[in-house]
Amino acid sequence: MRNLRLVLGDQLSRAVSALDGLDATRDVVLMVEVHEETTYVRHHRQKIVLILSAMRHFAAMLRAEGIPVDYVRLNAQDNTGSLGGEVRRALSRHAADRVIVTAPGEWRVLAMMQGWKEALGIPVEIREDARFLCTQERFRRWAQGRKSLRMEFFYREMRRETGWLMHGSEPEGGRWNYDSDNRKALPENLRTPPRRRFPPDAVTAAVLDLVRERCGEHFGDLDGFGWAVTREDALAALGEFVDRFLPGFGDYQDAMRDGGDFLFHSVLSPYLNIGLLAPREVCESALDAWREGRAPLAAVEGFVRQILGWREYVRGLYWLLMPEYADSNFLDAQRPLPAFYWTGETRMRCVRATVEATRRNAYAHHIQRLMITGNFALLTGIAPAEVEAWYLAVYADAFEWVELPNTHGMALHADGGLLGSKPYAASGAYIDRMSDYCAGCAYSPKTKLGERACPFNFLYWNFLMDNRERLAANPRMAMPYRTLDRMSGERRDAIRRDSAAFLAALDADRMV
Ligand code: FAD
Ligand code: DLZ
Ligand code: SF4
């Protein structure tokens, strides 16, 4: 039997299930660069370069092992531009008896693949993606019959199952979660060492030219492209993170600084998500650092929780709840996405800095995504689908299985609280405490009303007023509603007035 084995641009792992049992004397691996995948959202140009260059390097690595690879480039003559079209064309070249794929990371692509069997008239085997620490079946079992699907409970089960940071049946150090130690603001004089970049080789240089030529309309700088595009370099990035940044990871996990693009974060998500690194080896590197006394428990627990907890949990939820999940709109948010999400042209320094960092790097760290661009979209009622398309496009690590639950659930509360027990809504005081943005802003975080007032201040209370019926019964919202109710009617009117003026300016595309 001759198998055509399709490997997608985010499946670049030698251990991917589509390659299990491969017979190099008969089988062919198919990899295709297609217009459809580069444009279903207008991805950041660095994301496209990262994926296409990593695909080309991965194909070269397989060939060096003696595996036949049929690789179709984006600008190849006759490229049909779609995954389905290219599989069909490849079948006519290779007379295969069966197509083997690993399940993709997006519902959209899975639905497409499920139609191939009939469309191509040949068996199509869709294998489970085994690159995760929790199988879909295991997650379903955990979720079944539970009233609350909170991450923290899932995480504890995963800790017990892996034995990571466990002392018998108890968590190491006596606590499951060290988050309360992880909320420090950055001391002003603390400098983070610069991040290693990986200069483009000839393969990446060719892809950079291709993307410059074909994706001129897409968002994002290409100058200074420095992502690792091979497993070897991704491992070097992991080593650098564990040695130099992991010890500070916990303390400053929620901090933000203008120009501090990466701080103590790992910047490993693109490598994890496209297959250059495996979650197990990343966690084990961090655990080794703790065992050897090179990183404190709070930092390592915080880091492992992001991968063993959050990453596995959002993936489990995505496949449990899709496709209906994407359609919910609990807060009935309908506003279009403001143009400054693309241009950065706003007087709000925190938003401008986050958009500019995103444009420079195809990366922003979690708190920028959640508490700046996410929080602003939540408070101003931007339509979930528009916000989600933006996040899916602009980040190098964005694939729907991980982007959607984070945006739809965590940032926008569009799922009504399945993922987070309350909306992550915050006023300027929070941003001021966790960042240096406010010092250089046209607005003042200390001013609550009027022209100089930080928009997050009045928009926060306006959001609570607008959504009282939906949120007031939530026990975790009781305190803010009590504070709101203690305000004078005059003050509430003034909040309404300033918010209406701000939102009108936003809708009219005036500078805010
Ligand atoms: P670190 O802070 O160093 O964390 C370590 C690793 O933990 C990350 O590499 C990542 O693999 C994992 N992780 C951390 N937080 C999460 C989380 N909430 N969900 C899943 N995995 C997590 N992450 C993506 O990988 N792709 C996305 O498209 C994406 N979209 C997001 C959208 C919004 C609105 C928000 C609030 C978060 C989103 N995240 C997404 C989660 C998180 O912001 C990124 O994983 C993180 O910023 C990646 O940077 P890092 O590798 O430096 O992470
Ligand atoms: C994101 C992306 C891009 C930009 N280009 C390609 C491509 O040309 N070929 C490919 O196989 N995959 C690409 N990808 C990744 C896919 O979009 C991804 O596999 C699906 O979204 C499923 O997660
Ligand atoms: Fe952002 Fe408000 Fe601070 Fe300006 S004052 S940086 S808008 S939080």
Side-chain angles (χ1 to χ4, degrees), residues 47-116:
K47 179 181 182 183
I48 303 177
V49 175
L50 166 68
I51 290 173
L52 300 193
S53 179
M55 284 174 73
R56 291 181 184 195
H57 281 94
F58 186 76
M61 185 202 77
L62 292 180
R63 282 188 182 130
E65 254 189 69
I67 297 170
V69 181
D70 184 351
Y71 192 98
V72 181
R73 292 189 174 201
L74 196 61
N75 51 0
Q77 242 191 357
D78 304 332
N79 185 333
T80 54
S82 74
L83 292 174
E86 285 314 288
V87 171
R88 181 186 292 280
R89 238 165 40 91
L91 285 172
S92 67
R93 288 194 295 272
H94 300 295
D97 307 296
R98 181 170 60 162
V99 176
I100 299 179
V101 293
T102 289
E106 303 198 348
W107 182 269
R108 169 187 68 87
V109 182
L110 180 64
M112 222 147 64
M113 285 177 171
Q114 283 166 340
W116 286 352

Side-chain angles (χ1 to χ4, degrees), residues 256-261 349 352-354 356 360 368 435-437:
M256 297 174 278
R257 177 183 276 166
D258 198 357
D261 290 356
R349 187 176 174 212
R352 190 173 68 234
T354 302
E356 283 172 356
R360 265 197 305 279
Q368 292 172 311
S435 78
D436 67 353
Y437 294 138

Side-chain angles (χ1 to χ4, degrees), residues 74-75 87 92 133 137-138 174 195 234 259 288 304 308 314 384 428:
L74 196 61
N75 51 0
V87 171
S92 67
L133 296 160
E137 197 277 323
R138 173 71 188 91
R195 222 26 99 134
D288 284 347
V304 167
L308 177 64
V314 298

Side-chain angles (χ1 to χ4, degrees), residues 203-224:
V203 173
T204 303
V207 179
L208 279 163
D209 286 345
L210 179 71
V211 170
R212 265 195 202 100
E213 184 194 313
R214 294 189 53 134
C215 306
E217 306 275 278
H218 290 225
F219 175 78
D221 295 344
L222 279 180
D223 301 338

Side-chain angles (χ1 to χ4, degrees), residues 260-278:
D261 290 356
F262 309 111
L263 300 176
F264 290 91
H265 293 274
S266 68
V267 201
L268 296 175
S269 48
Y271 309 140
L272 279 161
N273 295 353
I274 69 173
L276 297 185
L277 294 177

